[in-house]
PDB file of all heavy atoms in Angstrom:
ATOM      1  N   LYS A 388      -9.418 -17.319 -22.719  1.00  0.00           N
ATOM      2  CA  LYS A 388      -8.996 -16.255 -23.642  1.00  0.00           C
ATOM      3  C   LYS A 388      -7.479 -16.064 -23.582  1.00  0.00           C
ATOM      4  O   LYS A 388      -6.809 -15.924 -24.599  1.00  0.00           O
ATOM      5  CB  LYS A 388      -9.710 -14.952 -23.242  1.00  0.00           C
ATOM      6  CG  LYS A 388      -9.594 -13.845 -24.275  1.00  0.00           C
ATOM      7  CD  LYS A 388     -10.460 -12.669 -23.839  1.00  0.00           C
ATOM      8  CE  LYS A 388      -9.983 -11.376 -24.497  1.00  0.00           C
ATOM      9  NZ  LYS A 388     -10.558 -10.203 -23.856  1.00  0.00           N
ATOM     10  N   GLU A 389      -6.926 -16.072 -22.367  1.00  0.00           N
ATOM     11  CA  GLU A 389      -5.491 -15.836 -22.161  1.00  0.00           C
ATOM     12  C   GLU A 389      -4.653 -16.995 -22.706  1.00  0.00           C
ATOM     13  O   GLU A 389      -3.613 -16.785 -23.325  1.00  0.00           O
ATOM     14  CB  GLU A 389      -5.217 -15.658 -20.660  1.00  0.00           C
ATOM     15  CG  GLU A 389      -3.821 -15.226 -20.306  1.00  0.00           C
ATOM     16  CD  GLU A 389      -3.519 -13.756 -20.604  1.00  0.00           C
ATOM     17  OE1 GLU A 389      -4.458 -12.984 -20.901  1.00  0.00           O
ATOM     18  OE2 GLU A 389      -2.332 -13.385 -20.529  1.00  0.00           O
ATOM     19  N   PHE A 390      -5.115 -18.222 -22.459  1.00  0.00           N
ATOM     20  CA  PHE A 390      -4.361 -19.402 -22.889  1.00  0.00           C
ATOM     21  C   PHE A 390      -5.119 -20.122 -24.003  1.00  0.00           C
ATOM     22  O   PHE A 390      -5.471 -21.284 -23.887  1.00  0.00           O
ATOM     23  CB  PHE A 390      -4.100 -20.329 -21.685  1.00  0.00           C
ATOM     24  CG  PHE A 390      -3.393 -19.642 -20.554  1.00  0.00           C
ATOM     25  CD1 PHE A 390      -4.019 -19.430 -19.329  1.00  0.00           C
ATOM     26  CD2 PHE A 390      -2.096 -19.155 -20.711  1.00  0.00           C
ATOM     27  CE1 PHE A 390      -3.368 -18.771 -18.280  1.00  0.00           C
ATOM     28  CE2 PHE A 390      -1.435 -18.497 -19.663  1.00  0.00           C
ATOM     29  CZ  PHE A 390      -2.078 -18.300 -18.452  1.00  0.00           C
ATOM     30  N   TYR A 391      -5.378 -19.358 -25.078  1.00  0.00           N
ATOM     31  CA  TYR A 391      -6.160 -19.899 -26.214  1.00  0.00           C
ATOM     32  C   TYR A 391      -5.415 -21.003 -26.941  1.00  0.00           C
ATOM     33  O   TYR A 391      -6.000 -21.821 -27.634  1.00  0.00           O
ATOM     34  CB  TYR A 391      -6.526 -18.767 -27.190  1.00  0.00           C
ATOM     35  CG  TYR A 391      -5.327 -18.033 -27.744  1.00  0.00           C
ATOM     36  CD1 TYR A 391      -4.690 -18.466 -28.915  1.00  0.00           C
ATOM     37  CD2 TYR A 391      -4.813 -16.922 -27.078  1.00  0.00           C
ATOM     38  CE1 TYR A 391      -3.578 -17.798 -29.402  1.00  0.00           C
ATOM     39  CE2 TYR A 391      -3.699 -16.252 -27.560  1.00  0.00           C
ATOM     40  CZ  TYR A 391      -3.082 -16.694 -28.726  1.00  0.00           C
ATOM     41  OH  TYR A 391      -1.978 -16.044 -29.207  1.00  0.00           O
ATOM     42  N   ASN A 392      -4.087 -21.027 -26.762  1.00  0.00           N
ATOM     43  CA  ASN A 392      -3.269 -22.018 -27.433  1.00  0.00           C
ATOM     44  C   ASN A 392      -2.567 -22.871 -26.380  1.00  0.00           C
ATOM     45  O   ASN A 392      -2.039 -22.336 -25.407  1.00  0.00           O
ATOM     46  CB  ASN A 392      -2.244 -21.265 -28.296  1.00  0.00           C
ATOM     47  CG  ASN A 392      -1.429 -22.202 -29.156  1.00  0.00           C
ATOM     48  OD1 ASN A 392      -1.104 -23.315 -28.753  1.00  0.00           O
ATOM     49  ND2 ASN A 392      -1.092 -21.737 -30.345  1.00  0.00           N
ATOM     50  N   ASP A 393      -2.550 -24.187 -26.550  1.00  0.00           N
ATOM     51  CA  ASP A 393      -1.950 -25.096 -25.554  1.00  0.00           C
ATOM     52  C   ASP A 393      -0.473 -24.818 -25.287  1.00  0.00           C
ATOM     53  O   ASP A 393       0.036 -25.111 -24.207  1.00  0.00           O
ATOM     54  CB  ASP A 393      -2.123 -26.558 -25.972  1.00  0.00           C
ATOM     55  CG  ASP A 393      -3.461 -27.108 -25.495  1.00  0.00           C
ATOM     56  OD1 ASP A 393      -4.243 -26.299 -24.953  1.00  0.00           O
ATOM     57  OD2 ASP A 393      -3.736 -28.308 -25.659  1.00  0.00           O
ATOM     58  N   THR A 394       0.225 -24.244 -26.268  1.00  0.00           N
ATOM     59  CA  THR A 394       1.662 -23.976 -26.082  1.00  0.00           C
ATOM     60  C   THR A 394       1.886 -22.858 -25.055  1.00  0.00           C
ATOM     61  O   THR A 394       2.971 -22.714 -24.511  1.00  0.00           O
ATOM     62  CB  THR A 394       2.328 -23.565 -27.410  1.00  0.00           C
ATOM     63  OG1 THR A 394       1.597 -22.445 -27.940  1.00  0.00           O
ATOM     64  CG2 THR A 394       2.312 -24.710 -28.408  1.00  0.00           C
ATOM     65  N   LEU A 395       0.841 -22.065 -24.797  1.00  0.00           N
ATOM     66  CA  LEU A 395       0.966 -20.950 -23.852  1.00  0.00           C
ATOM     67  C   LEU A 395       0.699 -21.362 -22.408  1.00  0.00           C
ATOM     68  O   LEU A 395       0.960 -20.596 -21.479  1.00  0.00           O
ATOM     69  CB  LEU A 395      -0.026 -19.826 -24.221  1.00  0.00           C
ATOM     70  CG  LEU A 395       0.071 -19.232 -25.626  1.00  0.00           C
ATOM     71  CD1 LEU A 395      -1.130 -18.345 -25.894  1.00  0.00           C
ATOM     72  CD2 LEU A 395       1.356 -18.427 -25.781  1.00  0.00           C
ATOM     73  N   LEU A 396       0.153 -22.566 -22.219  1.00  0.00           N
ATOM     74  CA  LEU A 396      -0.283 -22.987 -20.882  1.00  0.00           C
ATOM     75  C   LEU A 396       0.854 -23.059 -19.856  1.00  0.00           C
ATOM     76  O   LEU A 396       1.930 -23.561 -20.157  1.00  0.00           O
ATOM     77  CB  LEU A 396      -0.959 -24.360 -20.959  1.00  0.00           C
ATOM     78  CG  LEU A 396      -2.361 -24.400 -21.569  1.00  0.00           C
ATOM     79  CD1 LEU A 396      -2.777 -25.841 -21.814  1.00  0.00           C
ATOM     80  CD2 LEU A 396      -3.367 -23.715 -20.650  1.00  0.00           C
ATOM     81  N   PRO A 397       0.601 -22.580 -18.637  1.00  0.00           N
ATOM     82  CA  PRO A 397       1.608 -22.711 -17.568  1.00  0.00           C
ATOM     83  C   PRO A 397       1.778 -24.187 -17.185  1.00  0.00           C
ATOM     84  O   PRO A 397       0.832 -24.984 -17.319  1.00  0.00           O
ATOM     85  CB  PRO A 397       0.995 -21.938 -16.400  1.00  0.00           C
ATOM     86  CG  PRO A 397      -0.093 -21.102 -16.994  1.00  0.00           C
ATOM     87  CD  PRO A 397      -0.588 -21.847 -18.188  1.00  0.00           C
ATOM     88  N   SER A 398       2.967 -24.542 -16.699  1.00  0.00           N
ATOM     89  CA  SER A 398       3.174 -25.931 -16.260  1.00  0.00           C
ATOM     90  C   SER A 398       2.560 -26.127 -14.862  1.00  0.00           C
ATOM     91  O   SER A 398       2.176 -27.225 -14.497  1.00  0.00           O
ATOM     92  CB  SER A 398       4.667 -26.250 -16.225  1.00  0.00           C
ATOM     93  OG  SER A 398       5.314 -25.387 -15.299  1.00  0.00           O
TER      94      SER A 398
END
Side-chain angles (χ1 to χ4, degrees):
K388 192 174 158 194
E389 188 74 11
F390 304 114
Y391 58 89
N392 186 325
D393 273 6
T394 55
L395 303 169
L396 286 169
S398 61

